[in-house]
PDB file of all heavy atoms in Angstrom:
ATOM      1  N   GLY A 817     113.434 143.277  92.919  1.00 70.00           N
ATOM      2  CA  GLY A 817     113.538 142.472  91.681  1.00 70.00           C
ATOM      3  C   GLY A 817     114.805 141.664  91.521  1.00 70.00           C
ATOM      4  O   GLY A 817     115.171 141.362  90.413  1.00 70.00           O
ATOM      5  N   TYR A 818     115.492 141.443  92.600  1.00 63.00           N
ATOM      6  CA  TYR A 818     116.770 140.573  92.431  1.00 63.00           C
ATOM      7  C   TYR A 818     116.451 139.125  92.727  1.00 63.00           C
ATOM      8  O   TYR A 818     115.884 138.807  93.759  1.00 63.00           O
ATOM      9  CB  TYR A 818     117.861 141.074  93.355  1.00 63.00           C
ATOM     10  CG  TYR A 818     119.202 140.472  92.907  1.00 63.00           C
ATOM     11  CD1 TYR A 818     119.702 140.778  91.655  1.00 63.00           C
ATOM     12  CD2 TYR A 818     119.908 139.676  93.787  1.00 63.00           C
ATOM     13  CE1 TYR A 818     120.911 140.166  91.269  1.00 63.00           C
ATOM     14  CE2 TYR A 818     121.070 139.116  93.421  1.00 63.00           C
ATOM     15  CZ  TYR A 818     121.618 139.361  92.113  1.00 63.00           C
ATOM     16  OH  TYR A 818     122.816 138.845  91.795  1.00 63.00           O
ATOM     17  N   ALA A 819     116.797 138.266  91.755  1.00 58.00           N
ATOM     18  CA  ALA A 819     116.344 136.901  91.842  1.00 58.00           C
ATOM     19  C   ALA A 819     116.942 136.063  92.976  1.00 58.00           C
ATOM     20  O   ALA A 819     116.259 135.230  93.554  1.00 58.00           O
ATOM     21  CB  ALA A 819     116.615 136.243  90.470  1.00 58.00           C
ATOM     22  N   GLU A 820     118.233 136.281  93.223  1.00 66.00           N
ATOM     23  CA  GLU A 820     118.852 135.344  94.190  1.00 66.00           C
ATOM     24  C   GLU A 820     118.687 135.656  95.677  1.00 66.00           C
ATOM     25  O   GLU A 820     119.639 135.675  96.447  1.00 66.00           O
ATOM     26  CB  GLU A 820     120.411 135.326  93.860  1.00 66.00           C
ATOM     27  CG  GLU A 820     120.692 134.697  92.513  1.00 66.00           C
ATOM     28  CD  GLU A 820     122.141 134.836  92.138  1.00 66.00           C
ATOM     29  OE1 GLU A 820     122.950 134.765  93.046  1.00 66.00           O
ATOM     30  OE2 GLU A 820     122.435 134.984  90.979  1.00 66.00           O
ATOM     31  N   VAL A 821     117.464 135.938  95.989  1.00 67.00           N
ATOM     32  CA  VAL A 821     117.161 136.286  97.366  1.00 67.00           C
ATOM     33  C   VAL A 821     116.024 135.408  97.805  1.00 67.00           C
ATOM     34  O   VAL A 821     115.105 135.212  97.043  1.00 67.00           O
ATOM     35  CB  VAL A 821     116.704 137.735  97.428  1.00 67.00           C
ATOM     36  CG1 VAL A 821     116.138 138.097  98.759  1.00 67.00           C
ATOM     37  CG2 VAL A 821     117.894 138.713  97.169  1.00 67.00           C
ATOM     38  N   PRO A 822     116.089 134.819  98.976  1.00 75.00           N
ATOM     39  CA  PRO A 822     115.023 133.905  99.452  1.00 75.00           C
ATOM     40  C   PRO A 822     113.678 134.612  99.327  1.00 75.00           C
ATOM     41  O   PRO A 822     113.603 135.806  99.621  1.00 75.00           O
ATOM     42  CB  PRO A 822     115.394 133.619 100.924  1.00 75.00           C
ATOM     43  CG  PRO A 822     116.808 133.857 101.016  1.00 75.00           C
ATOM     44  CD  PRO A 822     117.153 134.965  99.987  1.00 75.00           C
ATOM     45  N   GLU A 823     112.680 133.850  98.973  1.00 78.00           N
ATOM     46  CA  GLU A 823     111.317 134.423  98.680  1.00 78.00           C
ATOM     47  C   GLU A 823     110.760 135.236  99.884  1.00 78.00           C
ATOM     48  O   GLU A 823     110.243 136.290  99.738  1.00 78.00           O
ATOM     49  CB  GLU A 823     110.380 133.279  98.315  1.00 78.00           C
ATOM     50  CG  GLU A 823     109.144 133.658  97.504  1.00 78.00           C
ATOM     51  CD  GLU A 823     109.453 134.570  96.302  1.00 78.00           C
ATOM     52  OE1 GLU A 823     110.351 134.298  95.490  1.00 78.00           O
ATOM     53  OE2 GLU A 823     108.823 135.634  96.199  1.00 78.00           O
ATOM     54  N   GLU A 824     110.910 134.683 101.070  1.00 79.00           N
ATOM     55  CA  GLU A 824     110.339 135.310 102.261  1.00 79.00           C
ATOM     56  C   GLU A 824     111.028 136.682 102.484  1.00 79.00           C
ATOM     57  O   GLU A 824     110.355 137.617 102.815  1.00 79.00           O
ATOM     58  CB  GLU A 824     110.577 134.396 103.466  1.00 79.00           C
ATOM     59  CG  GLU A 824     109.887 134.913 104.696  1.00 79.00           C
ATOM     60  CD  GLU A 824     110.376 134.200 105.997  1.00 79.00           C
ATOM     61  OE1 GLU A 824     111.057 133.114 105.885  1.00 79.00           O
ATOM     62  OE2 GLU A 824     110.046 134.634 107.084  1.00 79.00           O
ATOM     63  N   MET A 825     112.331 136.736 102.281  1.00 73.00           N
ATOM     64  CA  MET A 825     113.026 137.976 102.446  1.00 73.00           C
ATOM     65  C   MET A 825     112.589 138.968 101.476  1.00 73.00           C
ATOM     66  O   MET A 825     112.411 140.195 101.744  1.00 73.00           O
ATOM     67  CB  MET A 825     114.544 137.686 102.219  1.00 73.00           C
ATOM     68  CG  MET A 825     115.497 138.698 102.853  1.00 73.00           C
ATOM     69  SD  MET A 825     117.149 138.201 102.307  1.00 73.00           S
ATOM     70  CE  MET A 825     117.965 138.254 103.869  1.00 73.00           C
ATOM     71  N   LYS A 826     112.361 138.482 100.257  1.00 73.00           N
ATOM     72  CA  LYS A 826     111.895 139.398  99.121  1.00 73.00           C
ATOM     73  C   LYS A 826     110.554 140.000  99.576  1.00 73.00           C
ATOM     74  O   LYS A 826     110.391 141.198  99.335  1.00 73.00           O
ATOM     75  CB  LYS A 826     111.787 138.592  97.827  1.00 73.00           C
ATOM     76  CG  LYS A 826     112.083 139.393  96.628  1.00 73.00           C
ATOM     77  CD  LYS A 826     111.788 138.644  95.303  1.00 73.00           C
ATOM     78  CE  LYS A 826     112.890 137.668  94.998  1.00 73.00           C
ATOM     79  NZ  LYS A 826     112.658 136.989  93.708  1.00 73.00           N
ATOM     80  N   ARG A 827     109.684 139.160 100.040  1.00 78.00           N
ATOM     81  CA  ARG A 827     108.341 139.684 100.462  1.00 78.00           C
ATOM     82  C   ARG A 827     108.435 140.697 101.524  1.00 78.00           C
ATOM     83  O   ARG A 827     107.754 141.731 101.571  1.00 78.00           O
ATOM     84  CB  ARG A 827     107.486 138.520 100.891  1.00 78.00           C
ATOM     85  CG  ARG A 827     106.797 137.760  99.717  1.00 78.00           C
ATOM     86  CD  ARG A 827     105.588 136.978 100.244  1.00 78.00           C
ATOM     87  NE  ARG A 827     105.993 135.956 101.192  1.00 78.00           N
ATOM     88  CZ  ARG A 827     106.339 134.725 100.855  1.00 78.00           C
ATOM     89  NH1 ARG A 827     106.390 134.394  99.555  1.00 78.00           N
ATOM     90  NH2 ARG A 827     106.659 133.846 101.737  1.00 78.00           N
ATOM     91  N   LYS A 828     109.377 140.480 102.489  1.00 77.00           N
ATOM     92  CA  LYS A 828     109.575 141.434 103.595  1.00 77.00           C
ATOM     93  C   LYS A 828     110.001 142.756 103.019  1.00 77.00           C
ATOM     94  O   LYS A 828     109.510 143.821 103.435  1.00 77.00           O
ATOM     95  CB  LYS A 828     110.629 140.877 104.518  1.00 77.00           C
ATOM     96  CG  LYS A 828     110.275 141.094 105.993  1.00 77.00           C
ATOM     97  CD  LYS A 828     111.080 140.168 106.918  1.00 77.00           C
ATOM     98  CE  LYS A 828     112.229 140.993 107.525  1.00 77.00           C
ATOM     99  NZ  LYS A 828     113.053 140.139 108.385  1.00 77.00           N
ATOM    100  N   TRP A 829     110.972 142.749 102.091  1.00 74.00           N
ATOM    101  CA  TRP A 829     111.394 144.036 101.505  1.00 74.00           C
ATOM    102  C   TRP A 829     110.318 144.755 100.796  1.00 74.00           C
ATOM    103  O   TRP A 829     110.101 145.918 100.922  1.00 74.00           O
ATOM    104  CB  TRP A 829     112.468 143.809 100.434  1.00 74.00           C
ATOM    105  CG  TRP A 829     113.733 143.236 100.845  1.00 74.00           C
ATOM    106  CD1 TRP A 829     114.108 142.997 102.104  1.00 74.00           C
ATOM    107  CD2 TRP A 829     114.797 142.866 100.024  1.00 74.00           C
ATOM    108  NE1 TRP A 829     115.401 142.449 102.144  1.00 74.00           N
ATOM    109  CE2 TRP A 829     115.834 142.410 100.833  1.00 74.00           C
ATOM    110  CE3 TRP A 829     114.989 142.917  98.659  1.00 74.00           C
ATOM    111  CZ2 TRP A 829     116.998 141.931 100.337  1.00 74.00           C
ATOM    112  CZ3 TRP A 829     116.183 142.493  98.126  1.00 74.00           C
ATOM    113  CH2 TRP A 829     117.179 141.987  98.952  1.00 74.00           C
ATOM    114  N   GLN A 830     109.555 143.922  99.962  1.00 76.00           N
ATOM    115  CA  GLN A 830     108.509 144.563  99.186  1.00 76.00           C
ATOM    116  C   GLN A 830     107.493 145.224 100.109  1.00 76.00           C
ATOM    117  O   GLN A 830     106.983 146.278  99.802  1.00 76.00           O
ATOM    118  CB  GLN A 830     107.789 143.508  98.298  1.00 76.00           C
ATOM    119  CG  GLN A 830     108.687 142.696  97.381  1.00 76.00           C
ATOM    120  CD  GLN A 830     109.377 143.582  96.260  1.00 76.00           C
ATOM    121  OE1 GLN A 830     110.218 144.381  96.582  1.00 76.00           O
ATOM    122  NE2 GLN A 830     109.011 143.326  95.083  1.00 76.00           N
TER     123      GLN A 830
END
Side-chain angles (χ1 to χ4, degrees):
Y818 193 61
E820 291 174 36
V821 168
E823 203 47 52
E824 187 193 347
M825 200 185 230
K826 212 186 282 185
R827 276 200 297 272
K828 219 162 102 182
W829 294 355
Q830 303 297 67

